[in-house]
Amino acid sequence: MRSALETAQNEAWRRLGLPGTWWTGQERLAIAQECRAATGCAFCATRAAALSPLTVAGRHDVAEPSLPAAAIEAIHRIRTDPGRLGETWFLTLRAAGLGEAPYVELVSVVAVTVAIDTFRRGSGLPPLPLPAAEPGAPSRRRPTGAKPGLGFVATLAPEDRTEADPDLYRDHPGPRRRVGANIHRALSLVPNSMIHWWDVLEELYQSGPQMRDYGVDYRAIGHAQIELLAARVAALNRCEY
Amino acid sequence: MKGDPGSDVPHGDTLLAFADAALGGDKAVLDRAREAVRLAVGDAGLSDAAAVIGGFDGITRIAEATGIPLEPEKAAQTADFFGALDIGRFRRAKT
């Protein structure tokens, strides 16, 4: 494993146990643990195999009962059936009491957990044990410039970021490394979650400038090989983006 | 995958089989696919290939769970193969 990749992996894993913006460190680790357990959930397996998930009723096999039921549902569906998540489903979570920003942070924790678990499984490495939770309260700060309308959740566009917000698009030192594509904005309602995700993705995959620098190979496989793998995983997960 | 047309990318078929196995549930299939990739692109290539698979297993979930759309200019650039591959069926399956 490249040393930069190992460093990024370890740092992303450590951050799972830190207090977040909307969840405590303990709660974030419960989300990660529930994400891992979801792959063995019989209800999820039945639902994922059904023509429509709406046609199947049942109960999740829950590993972390301290989490709210709506969070359990979100974690399990995102882990086991991501290609059929629609806004109607998202609104049922909201109606059940899961806040918009806590949901975004939950998505980031699931994504980091899945990415590192899949990487290590593919590499033939054992899964990492979850880190220890660090004490502290969530900061509960929502960016004042966030606006609805792009997807299911509000987002913070680069031009709406204020000095009170973290440097989520990496404006400094310029030029901006995260250009502000929709995929960059997806988690931007919770800037530290967006940073958590992109810091590790840019080592698992490539940074934006590296991706667009076709004359140089930054990895031990070439650009075409990287994009072939990326496209295949997107197709397997039925990702339209 | 069903109807797989193959690939002209160097070691493309080996890498595709690795991606399928990494997201699949059969450990023996994954072990064989991993060794095939190691033979094709070496230890460092294997690690970087697994890293891309992991990264996209995560980012696809972010895209789907937040409902972000493809940018209009990207949609226009990809409309031909978007239609040819019937990627719109992914959208029709959403609930």
Side-chain angles (χ1 to χ4, degrees):
Chain A
M1 188 187 315
R2 283 179 286 110
S3 62
L5 175 56
E6 186 169 20
T7 299
Q9 170 205 250
N10 292 343
E11 175 60 13
W13 205 249
R14 185 186 72 83
R15 285 192 216 174
L16 286 175
L18 300 181
T21 306
W22 297 96
W23 302 90
T24 66
Q26 196 71 48
E27 289 168 335
R28 287 163 57 84
L29 293 176
I31 292 167
Q33 181 59 40
E34 192 65 47
C35 172
R36 284 179 156 178
T39 57
C41 175
F43 174 48
C44 282
T46 302
R47 205 162 55 168
L51 187 60
S52 167
L54 300 179
T55 63
V56 182
R59 287 175 172 272
H60 290 294
D61 298 324
V62 176
E64 296 285 345
S66 62
L67 289 170
I72 298 282
E73 163 65 10
I75 295 162
H76 280 238
R77 273 297 299 279
I78 295 166
R79 180 66 185 93
T80 64
D81 195 12
R84 298 192 291 183
L85 303 178
E87 189 162 19
T88 301
W89 169 80
F90 171 69
L91 291 174
T92 64
L93 299 178
R94 297 281 288 114
L98 184 58
E100 182 185 34
Y103 171 78
V104 169
E105 184 171 329
L106 177 153
V107 171
S108 75
V109 171
V110 169
V112 168
T113 305
V114 168
I116 292 177
D117 278 352
T118 299
F119 160 56
R120 294 185 66 85
R121 182 170 183 267
S123 298
L125 299 169
L128 290 170
L130 290 175
E134 297 200 10
S139 61
R140 297 185 176 276
R141 185 186 178 279
R142 181 184 171 110
T144 56
K147 295 174 182 170
L150 185 63
F152 307 158
V153 296
T155 55
L156 178 66
E159 60 271 22
D160 294 328
R161 174 182 164 262
T162 71
E163 288 304 310
D165 299 312
D167 185 14
L168 68 171
Y169 292 104
R170 289 288 183 263
D171 287 313
H172 308 290
R176 174 180 296 149
R177 198 171 77 199
R178 297 168 184 161
V179 295
N182 288 351
I183 191 63
H184 290 122
R185 301 183 191 205
L187 298 174
S188 59
L189 181 62
V190 186
N192 284 329
S193 291
M194 190 270 213
I195 291 168
H196 184 194
W197 168 252
W198 283 93
D199 282 356
V200 69
L201 181 72
E202 288 165 352
E203 280 301 329
L204 290 165
Y205 171 60
Q206 299 182 104
S207 69
Q210 290 172 337
M211 181 188 73
R212 291 183 288 275
D213 186 3
Y214 302 112
V216 178
D217 285 330
Y218 293 90
R219 301 288 183 255
I221 53 176
H223 283 272
Q225 293 170 313
I226 289 171
E227 297 307 324
L228 181 70
L229 287 166
R232 183 63 147 216
V233 174
L236 290 169
N237 286 341
R238 293 182 286 189
C239 178
E240 184 181 323
Y241 187 87
Chain B
M1 290 179 74
K2 186 178 178 183
D4 195 340
S7 165
D8 294 333
V9 172
H11 306 298
D13 290 345
T14 303
L15 293 168
L16 290 175
F18 181 47
D20 293 352
L23 269 59
D26 191 323
K27 182 179 180 302
V29 170
L30 175 56
D31 288 345
R32 287 195 296 274
R34 184 187 305 115
E35 286 315 301
V37 172
R38 193 192 310 275
L39 284 172
V41 298
D43 284 336
L46 167 63
S47 179
D48 282 343
V52 172
I53 292 168
F56 274 76
D57 206 18
I59 200 168
T60 50
R61 286 176 165 77
I62 292 172
E64 296 301 302
T66 59
I68 54 156
L70 196 61
E71 292 82 350
E73 62 276 17
K74 291 179 186 170
Q77 291 166 359
T78 57
D80 52 350
F81 62 82
F82 198 94
L85 297 173
D86 192 20
I87 292 173
R89 71 185 187 279
F90 296 163
R91 187 181 308 159
R92 295 194 294 272
K94 292 188 186 305
T95 57

